[in-house]
Amino acid sequence: MEALECIKTRRSIRKFTDTPVSKETLTAIVEAASMAPSWKNTQIARYNIVENADIKNDIATNATLGFEHNRDIINGAPQLVVVSMIGKRCGYEKDGSFTTSKEDRWEMFDAGIASQTFCLAAHDMGIGSVIMGIFDEDIVSKAVSLPEGEKVAALIAIGYPDQECAAPKRKTTEELMRVL
């Protein structure tokens, strides 16, 4: 698939078949996602693939902050990717000081780029995904036993799509762009 076609046709998929994504396909997706740019090439994103139904259910039941839609998406997906990020690398100099006024907020920027790259690679391979941001970080972190120094950036439900989604209306380029 050509890059622009992939960008223009990727949709957030919220309904999946029961068929899990193979380890080989997951490896290929993560390999592609590893090419995402990051602050000074720090490559802080990590992809924790949750296949265990008990762990997925724990996250869906206890970490979705009462947002039932995310609970249902997680329970309906064969796998859940907990995107984590290694802290205290993006936005820092070697001496520990911040490089810019954005301080450590570069972490989320880099995790976002990595997450979108993951989803585009998945789409290119016929895998559906949706990035979710409504969750309790502490509960998710404990559920997947994140290593010390890592924190949760996003949840991505993945699987083979069981729905087709039309593109929602987009703003015009005139609304989005200013030329100065």
Side-chain angles (χ1 to χ4, degrees):
M1 179 180 309
E2 294 293 321
L4 287 178
E5 178 187 357
C6 190
I7 292 166
K8 289 179 179 182
T9 60
R10 188 218 168 254
R11 299 286 169 266
S12 291
I13 301 299
R14 295 173 175 87
K15 293 185 181 182
F16 306 93
T17 68
D18 293 334
T19 305
V21 179
S22 71
K23 184 176 181 188
E24 294 76 25
T25 300
L26 288 167
T27 299
I29 293 168
V30 171
E31 182 179 14
S34 76
M35 301 306 294
S38 62
W39 175 273
K40 296 185 179 183
N41 197 32
T42 51
Q43 302 177 51
I44 62 162
R46 299 294 182 268
Y47 307 91
N48 304 273
I49 313 296
V50 180
E51 297 179 326
N52 180 293
D54 291 334
I55 296 172
K56 265 192 340 136
N57 186 55
D58 180 31
I59 292 169
T61 303
N62 300 312
T64 53
L65 302 172
F67 192 61
E68 293 179 18
H69 191 52
N70 279 4
R71 182 198 66 210
D72 295 342
I73 292 169
I74 293 168
N75 281 330
Q79 288 136 318
L80 178 69
V81 180
V82 176
V83 179
S84 61
M85 55 192 174
I86 298 173
K88 300 194 183 293
R89 290 194 184 165
C90 295
Y92 291 86
E93 291 298 314
K94 288 183 180 181
D95 66 4
S97 65
F98 293 118
T99 303
T100 74
S101 61
K102 292 207 181 321
E103 299 177 342
D104 66 350
R105 292 183 303 244
W106 283 104
E107 292 172 344
M108 278 305 289
F109 191 82
D110 283 359
I113 294 169
S115 295
Q116 178 66 351
T117 303
F118 180 97
C119 290
L120 287 169
H123 175 58
D124 185 59
M125 296 177 200
I127 307 301
S129 62
V130 61
I131 300 172
M132 295 174 286
I134 301 174
F135 56 85
D136 183 298
E137 293 178 38
D138 292 332
I139 293 172
V140 174
S141 180
K142 287 176 186 157
V144 299
S145 303
L146 276 188
E148 188 173 332
E150 284 186 38
K151 51 190 171 182
V152 181
L155 303 179
I156 304 175
I158 61 168
Y160 291 94
D162 196 23
Q163 67 178 150
E164 287 190 30
C165 299
K169 187 174 191 264
R170 299 292 185 200
K171 295 182 190 287
T172 66
T173 54
E174 291 78 17
E175 292 174 279
L176 299 172
M177 183 175 72
R178 285 185 347 148
V179 178
L180 306 173

